[in-house]
Amino acid sequence: QAAAERMPSSDAPEDGPKETSSVSQNISDADAFKILLEMKLKKRQKKPALPSTVTELDTEDGSKVYVVGTAHFSDSSKKDVVKTIQEVQPDVVVVELCQYRVSMLKMDEKTLLKEAKEINLEKLQQAIKQNGVMSGLMQMLLLKVSAHITEQLGMAPGGEFREAFKEASKVPFCKFHLGDRPIPVTFKRAIAALSFWQKVKLAWGLCFLSDPISKDDVEKCKQKDLLEQMMAEMIGEFPDLHRTIVSERDIYLTYMLKQAAKQIELPRASENEPRNYIPAVVVGVVGMGHVPGIEKNWNSDLNIQEIMSVPPPSASSKIFKFVIKATVFGLMGYGCYRIGQRTVQFILSMPAAQSYLQKLTELKAQH
């Protein structure tokens, strides 16, 4: 179709559709790629009109990265993402998600709202199975924070990521990358950074979160992501926790954006043809709280091996884990005891049981 559109109208014979069909059938994959790429580059704005939430970064080889800073519960952020992708026609879109949260890209808003509000025993068991006891509990507490915001606003999280996924699919040859560090690594490193009493204090603060939130509050937090701002207020006295949840992920996101911004190789008609490369255009969609860290780390040599390792559990973690297990099993044991006691009392109070006991008493008296 692209080849047919490029043909001069004066050269087109009366049986044009047949000619168009033969042209499109004879065109090589390399030529088709070149035509579509040319159309994409023409559509790409040289001086794009970008939202104020977009930060532009450059690489040494001339690639451009447009980082869209978003609030995770904001309609305005979704519009910013759509506009940016449409203006720059990127080669790669990178979002602040990992493989453990990728399901939110394909769920509809209604399902996501239901999922976000429901925190049940099954989810807790799944989190513990996936991440371990301590990290699983931490994940559920953070989900509670997210569920609190969801309930207050009636808006499912991750809308900007879903919009990025949809828009990326409309851009020819646009790849979609997950750019965030895996959740289990983040939580395990976060837990390892806390002492026993810090874990207790943080869990207590997360359990009793109930402050009302308005949509205006969300838009005011456009300069700093709402969820991370709430976390920052609760973990202000725990700098190590802030380092693992925010600062380390700044480094990881920066690394992934730079990897996505590698130059693109143009298609070749044959193996003998020299390789040609052009600078890439990348759109990154991240929480606004990560943008300053990405800018700070952009020109640094980054090594993510250290922040991907999970330290062995500390003595305090082992104690806390033992206390949690002992508490759970103790409550279960007490519950079974109480249920058993009530069951026995109920059975003994039944007329049939009373009659049977009376007969046993009589037989005993006779002997």
Side-chain angles (χ1 to χ4, degrees):
Q1 290 176 348
E5 288 174 7
R6 289 162 58 90
M7 291 174 63
S9 57
S10 59
D11 294 341
E14 291 182 1
D15 56 346
K18 293 181 182 178
E19 289 295 324
T20 299
S21 177
S22 64
V23 170
S24 59
Q25 285 176 3
N26 293 331
I27 193 170
S28 68
D29 290 343
D31 287 338
F33 185 97
K34 286 178 181 177
I35 291 168
L36 287 170
L37 183 61
E38 184 181 330
M39 293 171 64
K40 173 181 174 177
L41 295 177
K42 282 183 178 179
K43 193 175 179 183
R44 181 179 287 169
Q45 300 295 321
K46 291 183 179 178
K47 292 184 178 179
L50 300 173
S52 59
T53 53
V54 176
T55 300
E56 186 177 337
L57 300 169
D58 298 301
T59 66
E60 293 178 357
D61 55 22
S63 296
K64 287 192 174 294
V65 178
Y66 300 92
V67 182
V68 188
T70 66
H72 292 319
F73 294 84
S74 168
D75 286 326
S76 177
S77 287
K78 291 191 277 188
K79 293 175 184 175
D80 290 351
V81 170
V82 171
K83 182 174 178 59
T84 303
I85 292 175
Q86 289 177 349
E87 286 283 315
V88 306
Q89 294 290 294
D91 303 300
V92 186
V93 171
V94 181
V95 296
E96 185 198 329
L97 286 177
C98 69
Q99 66 266 37
Y100 294 92
R101 293 180 289 160
V102 73
S103 60
M104 72 162 55
L105 293 175
K106 295 185 179 180
M107 286 186 185
D108 60 82
E109 193 82 4
K110 187 177 180 181
T111 305
L112 278 164
L113 273 171
K114 184 180 177 183
E115 285 285 319
K117 289 178 182 178
E118 290 181 357
I119 298 180
N120 50 37
L121 184 60
E122 185 180 347
K123 285 187 178 180
L124 176 60
Q125 289 174 336
Q126 185 179 356
I128 291 175
K129 184 179 179 181
Q130 180 178 292
N131 304 319
V133 175
M134 294 301 305
S135 299
L137 289 171
M138 174 66 78
Q139 182 177 346
M140 291 308 297
L141 289 172
L142 288 174
L143 280 175
K144 183 180 182 296
V145 177
S146 180
H148 170 64
I149 302 172
T150 299
E151 189 174 2
Q152 293 281 319
L153 299 180
M155 183 187 300
E160 73 274 33
F161 302 138
R162 288 188 291 282
E163 290 298 327
F165 184 65
K166 289 178 196 173
E167 287 301 316
S169 67
K170 299 175 186 177
V171 179
F173 314 115
C174 182
K175 297 177 181 178
F176 191 87
H177 289 184
L178 304 176
D180 202 2
R181 183 172 66 179
I183 278 183
V185 176
T186 296
F187 284 128
K188 285 174 182 177
R189 287 183 63 83
I191 290 297
L194 296 176
S195 69
F196 172 78
W197 292 113
Q198 285 176 326
K199 290 168 189 169
V200 172
K201 193 169 184 180
L202 177 63
W204 183 265
L206 289 169
C207 284
F208 291 93
L209 177 73
S210 59
D211 294 336
I213 304 160
S214 69
K215 288 191 177 183
D216 289 337
D217 291 332
V218 177
E219 295 308 323
K220 287 175 185 176
C221 293
K222 199 92 179 280
Q223 297 306 311
K224 192 171 185 182
D225 179 70
L226 178 64
L227 184 56
E228 284 170 7
Q229 181 173 351
M230 294 176 71
M231 283 299 300
E233 290 174 359
M234 286 185 287
I235 65 177
E237 59 189 282
F238 311 135
D240 289 335
L241 189 59
H242 185 273
R243 172 177 53 79
T244 53
I245 291 181
V246 180
S247 302
E248 288 184 359
R249 287 172 59 226
D250 289 346
I251 295 171
Y252 191 91
L253 287 164
T254 307
Y255 178 85
M256 295 302 288
L257 286 168
K258 292 178 83 169
Q259 290 297 308
K262 302 280 187 180
Q263 286 193 323
I264 298 170
E265 182 182 351
L266 294 175
R268 296 181 294 161
S270 68
E271 291 295 326
N272 298 325
E273 191 175 325
R275 296 177 185 272
N276 292 315
Y277 297 85
I278 59 171
V281 172
V282 178
V283 169
V285 182
V286 304
M288 182 57 77
H290 290 292
V291 176
I294 291 171
E295 287 187 275
K296 176 185 173 184
N297 293 304
W298 188 251
N299 294 315
S300 305
D301 292 328
L302 303 175
N303 183 354
I304 63 169
Q305 293 303 316
E306 183 183 345
I307 62 172
M308 287 298 291
S309 63
V310 178
S314 62
S316 63
S317 292
K318 292 178 180 177
I319 293 170
F320 192 66
K321 184 176 179 179
F322 174 78
V323 170
I324 291 290
K325 282 188 174 180
T327 303
V328 170
F329 284 117
L331 289 172
M332 288 175 63
Y334 180 72
C336 291
Y337 166 73
R338 292 290 295 171
I339 291 170
Q341 190 180 42
R342 289 180 182 179
T343 302
V344 171
Q345 288 176 350
F346 175 74
I347 292 172
L348 292 176
S349 65
M350 293 175 68
Q354 292 285 342
S355 175
Y356 182 72
L357 288 172
Q358 187 175 359
K359 287 180 180 179
L360 284 176
T361 305
E362 291 173 357
L363 286 170
K364 190 176 180 181
Q366 289 175 2
H367 287 82

